[in-house]
Amino acid sequence: MKFARYLEDTQIQEWKKKYIDYKGLKKHIAAIRKDREANKTSERKSSWSIRNDDSPEGAFKPTSPSSRRRTSTVTGTPASALNKTPKETSQLTTSPHQQYGTSGTTPPLHARTKRSPSIRMQLPPPHEPLETFTLPPPARSLNEHDVRADPTRPRFETYAALLASVPPLERNFFDYLDAQVDKAEMFFDERYREAAVRLSVLKEQFAELAQHRRAYHNSLIIRSSRWKALPLPKFPAQVIQSAVTGIARHLLAARDEIEQTVTHPADPSGSSHRDPETYQSAKKELKQVVLEYHRFLELALNVTAIRKSLKKFEKATQHNIHELYNRERVENLSISSDRGIKSMIDEIEKMYASRFEGGDLKKARNRLRMWSRQKTHHFSTFRSGLLIGFAIPALIIGSYQASRPAVKQELPYWGALLEVYSALAIPVVFSLLIGLNMITWAKKRLNYVFIFELDLRTVMDPREYFEIPSFLFMTLSYAYMLSFSRVFEPRISATAWPIAWIVLFVVVMIDPFPLMHSHSRFWLVWNWSKLLMPGLYPVEFADFWMGDQMCSMVYTLSRLYFMGSGVLLASLPSLIRLIQCIKRYVDSRNYIHLINGGKYSSSIIAAGLFFNWRNHGSHPGRHYVAWVFFSAVSSVYTSGWDLLMDWSLLQSHSTRRFLRPELLYGDYYPIYYFAIISNVLIRFVWIIYAPLGSFDFRIRSVIAATLEMLRRFQWNFFRVENEHIGNADQYRVTREMPLPYSFDNAEPRDDSDDDENDDKEGHPREPSDAVEAMKKPPSRESFVEPATERRSVRLTSIRSEDEGQIV
């Protein structure tokens, strides 16, 4: 694998701007190589012109093929002279009137057998032939091919001497390389200082957790003392031993902690204000913080590009500069050594082991490095393919049975049943398409795990994700087949199978047993439940992203007649998103969220007018005109928001017209133009309901719902890409987890304590942003959707000149 490809596959996408620009260095080297080749070509041409001017006339006269067989060189030496000595060759003579070559004639026999000794052939002065055959040099050992091992190549004592002796084009290469090294070094120093500050804050948190634990176990002692006066039955020792075998280790650990608490009583000034009931939740939160911090430490910059670039430069310029540059420019930098980072990793692992794993360092490392384990998912892929393979025959058989005229006549509710299955199939197929979204995000290395704030310890691989939708797709296909095949009638009605599938779906999602990725299922159920309680929780990316997915499932929700009226169910997703926008405005005071809420308000009005027009007979009239007008306004509103805000496209300063400067799918940039056109067209899909022709309304509804599902599937690619670019602008790779303990209520210190925080020059130190971020939870009032915020700034044309940072 080439290093450029390896670097692209292994680098941290959010820190891509701060890596060594290996491609840029290769472009400089290519320019140097091209310039050197041009100089060699010009020198070769000038040398040939000088030689042609100095050579005698006719020295390079062309010869015929027959004469080439009789001559050995272009000077016309006879072939018979090849086996003679130089002395005999010099005595060969010829007549000045006889010519050999393309214009000469073959001499007569007497002239070829007898030559005049008085006339000698005049040979031109020695000259290089046009084509010279040389043997290749003898093979050298592997080390001799290294440009640094060749003693004939120039060497330099210092880096300054090297810069003074190279031409301007090579000097530009070193200037660019120095700038790249300084950029990476500065960024690494910032991350190192941030890691050091976080470590110091975590030490304070661990110390506070120890005090909190003592208070927690003190409360346990008080509770257990209440039960000492109660008479307890006495059992034989064997019965007691067999009863407590499974929990013996936990009891012993609790006893040791209690004894430690009695031996070392709690500090009244340190933990008296901590609620013992919150100890377990604080312990869980601190584990999450340590996990994110450990992951942050293991993310490092790749400096191999420096060595690779220098090797390519040596091959192009024949300069021995690799060791010199490393000695004077790289070895003294902090980026070339990971000792400090490794010491922090060792320290946090020891702290985690001593506090959470009973001193077992190996177990602690396995826990903290669980996210970086490479696992194979061959069985997951096999199971998913097997389930889909089982579903296809059932789907074909069910479709065949449903299309039979006899089944249509025997089932009076044939159309309604088919509509119910289409409403259930759309979300199932859409869940399979989301799996394709995840595979593409993983392939393009979009950090969707960070964007959706998924737990690194339990997050599913995209190949594992496919198992649940494939299982639901298979079971729905068999329910569809059984309904229209009517194999169990009249004992089981055809309408019972879709209800049975819905019950099965609910059981699978709320199954408490650790089957089929229970943590991921619970995460999904929890986010669904938060959608039903909008405004009660802070709105994050996963919340409004899932709300947008529900907006594309209006067809399915409006067909659930047993849960309420169709207009209310069809407007429910837009209503949820409207409340979320209002909640975000209340938290952030950013008016852009109110503008976003207007988009969902127009969708609610359009849906209400549509059902009003349907209830009035679906005939052209004032109800029809009102629905068409508000639907057109909603389509223009939503499609414009998709392109400008959700995708951040249609930017004037982009290299690709109507796109944006950064494209993660840039290798296939025409798909952006296809997405722009198709997104706008599908936003106007409501035109399909216009009363034109006798096309069945149910078929129109299924077509419109399918197109909307595909539009949302396409929308997901560019929405998550835009969010990822927003995180990359701020170099965010790990979550800012809130700490369980806050020290804001600490007593103010006197002036003598404040003097200790002054620097060496006497200036007071400013608090670090990392300290503030670690010591308090992130403010929900300041949480703004990155893509929306970046677009709102772009519309006002306020941008920073430093790497596109938003002012």
Side-chain angles (χ1 to χ4, degrees):
M1 179 185 294
K2 292 185 177 181
F3 177 72
R5 178 67 181 274
Y6 168 78
L7 184 63
E8 185 71 20
D9 294 340
T10 57
Q11 66 184 356
I12 304 169
Q13 292 293 325
E14 291 84 353
W15 293 353
K16 186 177 181 179
K17 296 179 181 179
K18 296 301 181 180
Y19 274 76
I20 304 295
D21 187 9
Y22 182 65
K23 291 185 178 180
L25 293 173
K26 288 178 64 177
K27 290 180 180 179
H28 280 272
I29 295 173
I32 294 172
R33 185 182 294 109
K34 185 177 180 180
D35 180 69
R36 284 179 168 264
E37 291 176 355
N39 292 337
K40 289 181 180 180
T41 303
S42 60
E43 291 176 0
R44 189 181 299 112
K45 290 181 179 180
S46 62
S47 64
W48 279 116
S49 62
I50 295 174
R51 292 173 181 176
N52 290 335
D53 293 340
D54 295 341
S55 62
E57 186 177 357
F60 300 97
K61 184 178 291 186
T63 60
S64 64
S66 61
S67 64
R68 291 192 191 105
R69 290 194 296 267
R70 298 190 302 268
T71 59
S72 59
T73 62
V74 295
T75 57
T77 303
S80 60
L82 293 175
N83 297 327
K84 297 181 179 292
T85 61
K87 183 177 180 180
E88 294 173 342
T89 304
S90 63
Q91 294 176 358
L92 293 176
T93 59
T94 183
S95 172
H97 302 287
Q98 295 172 340
Q99 299 178 357
Y100 296 90
T102 56
S103 60
T105 59
T106 303
L109 182 60
H110 65 86
R112 284 181 287 170
T113 57
K114 184 177 180 181
R115 300 179 187 275
S116 175
S118 61
I119 300 175
R120 297 179 179 274
M121 183 180 65
Q122 300 294 330
L123 296 176
H127 194 276
E128 291 185 2
L130 289 177
E131 297 181 358
T132 304
F133 177 77
T134 58
L135 293 175
R140 298 180 295 179
S141 62
L142 183 61
N143 293 334
E144 290 176 347
H145 286 280
D146 189 359
V147 295
R148 292 171 289 176
D150 192 347
T152 62
R153 307 268 170 79
R155 292 182 177 273
F156 303 95
E157 297 296 333
T158 61
Y159 182 58
L162 170 65
L163 295 179
S165 61
V166 296
L169 201 59
E170 298 178 13
R171 176 67 178 268
N172 294 337
F173 166 79
F174 284 107
D175 291 341
Y176 189 74
L177 180 60
D178 290 341
Q180 294 298 311
V181 172
D182 293 338
K183 176 189 69 174
E185 171 69 9
M186 184 180 301
F187 182 75
F188 183 82
D189 285 342
E190 293 176 358
R191 302 284 79 77
Y192 182 82
R193 290 194 296 269
E194 180 181 353
V197 171
R198 288 189 178 188
L199 181 61
S200 62
V201 173
L202 285 177
K203 289 180 180 179
E204 297 178 358
Q205 294 290 317
F206 273 105
E208 189 67 19
L209 182 67
Q211 297 292 335
H212 197 178
R213 184 184 62 178
R214 293 191 179 99
Y216 171 73
H217 287 299
N218 281 335
S219 65
L220 292 180
I221 295 175
I222 295 175
R223 293 176 183 177
S224 61
S225 61
R226 299 174 183 175
W227 300 91
K228 291 183 178 179
L230 297 178
L232 297 177
K234 296 183 179 181
F235 297 96
Q238 295 180 353
V239 177
I240 297 176
Q241 183 178 359
S242 61
V244 301
T245 300
I247 58 174
R249 293 183 179 180
H250 300 283
L251 293 177
L252 293 175
R255 186 195 63 183
D256 295 339
E257 291 181 354
I258 293 174
E259 292 177 355
Q260 183 179 3
T261 303
V262 176
T263 308
H264 305 282
D267 185 6
S269 62
S271 61
S272 58
H273 60 284
R274 301 299 179 192
D275 184 7
E277 301 295 335
T278 62
Y279 169 73
Q280 295 295 337
S281 61
K283 181 180 178 181
K284 184 178 180 180
E285 291 179 3
L286 191 56
K287 282 186 177 181
Q288 279 290 110
V289 175
V290 174
L291 179 64
E292 291 291 335
Y293 175 72
H294 189 274
R295 179 171 177 265
F296 175 80
L297 291 179
E298 291 194 348
L299 299 177
L301 294 176
N302 194 323
V303 296
T304 313
I306 302 175
R307 179 176 57 86
K308 293 285 185 179
S309 301
L310 291 176
K311 288 181 64 176
K312 289 183 177 294
F313 179 83
E314 286 181 341
K315 292 180 180 180
T317 62
Q318 311 302 322
H319 292 318
N320 303 311
I321 48 89
H322 186 274
E323 296 179 357
L324 174 64
Y325 192 87
N326 283 336
R327 184 175 65 252
E328 294 198 12
R329 290 287 292 125
V330 179
E331 291 180 357
N332 297 328
L333 301 178
S334 58
I335 195 174
S336 63
S337 176
D338 56 354
R339 298 177 183 174
I341 295 295
K342 284 187 176 181
S343 63
M344 292 183 185
I345 292 177
D346 294 339
E347 187 170 0
I348 195 64
E349 287 177 351
K350 292 178 181 178
M351 293 168 60
Y352 187 91
S354 62
R355 186 58 59 190
F356 300 129
E357 302 297 340
D360 191 343
L361 185 59
K362 182 179 180 180
K363 188 176 181 180
R365 288 173 177 171
N366 292 334
R367 294 272 189 180
L368 294 174
R369 299 177 184 180
M370 185 182 300
W371 66 273
S372 60
R373 293 179 183 176
Q374 298 293 333
K375 298 186 297 183
T376 59
H377 304 283
H378 305 299
F379 287 105
S380 298
T381 306
F382 174 76
R383 286 191 294 266
S384 300
L386 189 65
L387 293 173
I388 295 177
F390 285 152
I392 292 176
L395 187 63
I396 295 175
I397 296 173
S399 300
Y400 170 74
Q401 293 291 338
S403 61
R404 293 175 57 193
V407 176
K408 294 182 181 179
Q409 296 177 359
E410 295 174 1
L411 287 178
Y413 38 81
W414 176 87
L417 187 62
L418 197 62
E419 190 174 7
V420 168
Y421 272 111
S422 62
L424 296 177
I426 284 180
V428 174
V429 175
F430 183 60
S431 62
L432 290 172
L433 295 179
I434 291 179
L436 298 180
N437 287 137
M438 296 173 62
I439 290 178
T440 306
W441 296 335
K443 184 176 181 180
K444 290 297 181 180
R445 307 192 70 243
L446 274 71
N447 195 357
Y448 69 92
V449 176
F450 170 66
I451 292 174
F452 290 98
E453 298 186 0
L454 304 177
D455 192 347
L456 292 171
R457 298 170 296 180
T458 59
V459 64
M460 285 192 301
D461 185 85
R463 290 161 290 186
E464 295 177 316
Y465 165 82
F466 271 102
E467 293 188 46
I468 298 178
S470 299
F471 175 77
L472 296 176
F473 179 68
M474 183 199 67
T475 53
L476 182 63
S477 299
Y478 278 94
Y480 172 66
M481 181 191 69
L482 293 174
S483 292
F484 289 98
S485 298
R486 298 178 302 157
V487 292
F488 294 103
E489 283 190 351
R491 289 177 300 174
I492 301 178
S493 173
T495 57
W497 295 108
I499 298 176
W501 184 87
I502 294 176
V503 173
L504 175 65
F505 169 76
V506 174
V507 170
V508 168
M509 297 308 298
I510 65 175
D511 178 22
F513 298 100
L515 301 173
M516 301 183 69
H517 312 285
S518 58
H519 292 88
S520 299
R521 289 190 286 105
F522 295 158
W523 179 88
L524 185 62
V525 171
W526 169 244
N527 281 272
W528 281 346
S529 63
K530 287 199 298 183
L531 288 179
L532 301 177
M533 298 179 290
L536 299 181
Y537 297 93
V539 182
E540 300 178 359
F541 180 85
D543 301 320
F544 59 76
W545 182 86
M546 194 163 293
D548 287 331
Q549 310 304 304
M550 296 298 295
C551 289
S552 296
M553 299 292 108
V554 171
Y555 175 80
T556 299
L557 294 175
S558 61
R559 266 61 186 176
L560 301 178
Y561 302 108
F562 57 88
M563 295 184 61
S565 63
V567 60
L568 179 60
L569 294 174
S571 304
L572 182 61
S574 297
L575 180 62
I576 292 174
R577 288 294 289 122
L578 175 61
I579 298 175
Q580 287 180 343
C581 293
I582 296 175
K583 172 63 176 177
R584 298 188 69 188
Y585 168 74
V586 172
D587 293 340
S588 64
R589 297 298 174 181
N590 192 337
Y591 287 94
I592 198 68
H593 300 305
L594 293 181
I595 300 176
N596 190 20
K599 176 184 69 173
Y600 298 103
S601 300
S602 65
S603 300
I604 294 174
I605 296 175
L609 292 175
F610 172 75
F611 280 90
N612 180 61
W613 169 64
R614 292 282 298 168
N615 293 332
H616 284 81
S618 302
H619 300 296
R622 56 189 180 89
H623 300 289
Y624 175 72
V625 173
W627 166 63
V628 170
F629 175 76
F630 278 97
S631 297
V633 171
S634 177
S635 298
V636 173
Y637 203 156
T638 53
S639 59
W641 189 274
D642 289 339
L643 302 180
L644 296 174
M645 308 300 293
D646 290 340
W647 294 355
S648 296
L649 298 179
L650 304 181
Q651 297 186 19
S652 58
H653 57 280
S654 174
T655 56
R656 302 287 185 183
R657 198 169 187 180
F658 303 124
L659 302 183
R660 67 172 107 86
E662 298 182 30
L663 303 174
L664 298 184
Y665 312 118
D667 297 339
Y668 312 97
Y669 72 91
I671 64 175
Y672 289 90
Y673 298 105
F674 174 80
I676 291 174
I677 297 173
S678 60
N679 187 82
V680 175
L681 292 178
I682 298 177
R683 281 293 190 182
F684 285 86
V685 74
W686 51 267
I687 298 176
I688 199 174
Y689 296 111
L692 299 175
S694 59
F695 199 51
D696 187 79
F697 180 80
R698 293 176 177 176
I699 299 178
R700 297 184 189 185
S701 301
V702 174
I703 293 175
T706 304
L707 291 175
E708 173 61 22
M709 175 190 67
L710 296 176
R711 189 200 66 83
R712 184 62 64 180
F713 165 67
Q714 174 185 262
W715 181 88
N716 289 337
F717 286 114
F718 307 105
R719 182 62 187 90
V720 176
E721 176 205 20
N722 194 29
E723 188 73 15
H724 177 84
I725 293 175
N727 293 333
D729 289 341
Q730 304 176 17
Y731 310 109
R732 297 189 301 175
V733 294
T734 56
R735 291 185 292 172
E736 295 180 357
M737 303 294 296
L739 293 173
Y741 304 113
S742 177
F743 304 99
D744 296 336
N745 298 329
E747 296 181 359
R749 295 171 299 178
D750 54 16
D751 296 337
S752 59
D753 294 333
D754 291 337
D755 294 338
E756 296 179 358
N757 288 335
D758 295 348
D759 57 14
K760 295 181 180 180
E761 297 180 1
H763 302 290
R765 297 175 181 173
E766 296 181 358
S768 172
D769 295 337
V771 176
E772 299 299 328
M774 291 290 292
K775 287 192 174 183
K776 62 181 181 180
S779 176
R780 295 300 181 182
E781 290 74 9
S782 62
F783 180 84
V784 181
E785 181 179 348
T788 304
E789 183 67 14
R790 289 190 293 115
R791 170 55 67 181
S792 63
V793 176
R794 287 169 184 164
L795 293 178
T796 57
S797 300
I798 303 177
R799 291 188 61 84
S800 173
E801 296 298 328
D802 183 14
E803 297 185 10
Q805 294 296 316
I806 303 303
V807 181

